[in-house]
């Protein structure tokens, strides 16, 4: 745990994609890679494999960037906000990407939510 923080937004997104496919009755085969799942998701709406690849890369970059912003601003912005908006006083933090009426990043131990 880096500085008491667990975060992997891209993996959370991929896990959600896999759950969506499983729930739709079209689960991925055992051992499918994250990249294959990601590409299959974007192939649902893309006009071409190249467009799906581009969407995949843009999405990964976006989630990686959000993660980096959280880590860089944790001590100065996010931690004080968590403390002021929740009663959580612990030193461990678990951030997850979730989709629930829109995209959010939720810190699971405090229930702090960042809408995207």
């Amino acid at each position: 745990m880096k500085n008491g923080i667990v975060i992997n937004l891209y993996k959370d997104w991929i896990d959600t994609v896999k759950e969506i496919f499983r729930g739709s009755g079209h689960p991925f085969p055992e051992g499918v890679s994250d990249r294959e799942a990601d590409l299959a998701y974007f192939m649902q709406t893309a006009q071409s494999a190249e467009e799906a690849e581009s969407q995949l890369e843009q999405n990964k970059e976006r989630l990686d960037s959000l993660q980096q912003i959280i880590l860089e601003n944790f001590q100065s912005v996010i931690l004080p906000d968590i403390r002021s908006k929740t009663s959580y006083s612990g030193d461990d933090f678990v951030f997850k990407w979730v989709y629930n009426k829109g995209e959010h990043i939720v810190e699971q131990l405090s229930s702090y939510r960042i809408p995207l």
Side-chain angles (χ1 to χ4, degrees), residues 99-114:
Y99 190 90
N100 183 352
K101 298 179 184 169
E103 290 182 276
H104 298 86
I105 298 170
V106 174
E107 195 294 308
Q108 293 187 310
L109 302 176
S110 67
S111 298
Y112 179 77
R113 183 175 293 264
I114 303 169

Side-chain angles (χ1 to χ4, degrees), residues 45-99:
T45 58
Q47 300 296 316
S48 66
E50 293 80 22
E51 182 181 340
E53 284 280 346
S54 175
Q55 291 173 342
L56 178 156
E57 291 302 326
Q58 289 172 20
N59 186 56
K60 184 168 184 345
E61 288 173 15
R62 178 182 70 92
L63 292 169
D64 288 347
S65 175
L66 288 169
Q67 182 168 314
Q68 191 60 38
I69 289 167
I70 288 170
L71 292 172
E72 289 172 358
N73 294 286
F74 182 77
Q75 289 294 330
S76 62
V77 177
I78 296 170
L79 179 58
D81 203 38
I82 288 173
R83 299 284 193 233
S84 73
K85 291 182 177 173
T86 74
S87 61
Y88 184 68
S89 60
D91 295 322
D92 293 325
F93 301 90
V94 179
F95 289 93
K96 295 283 187 185
W97 179 94
V98 297
Y99 190 90

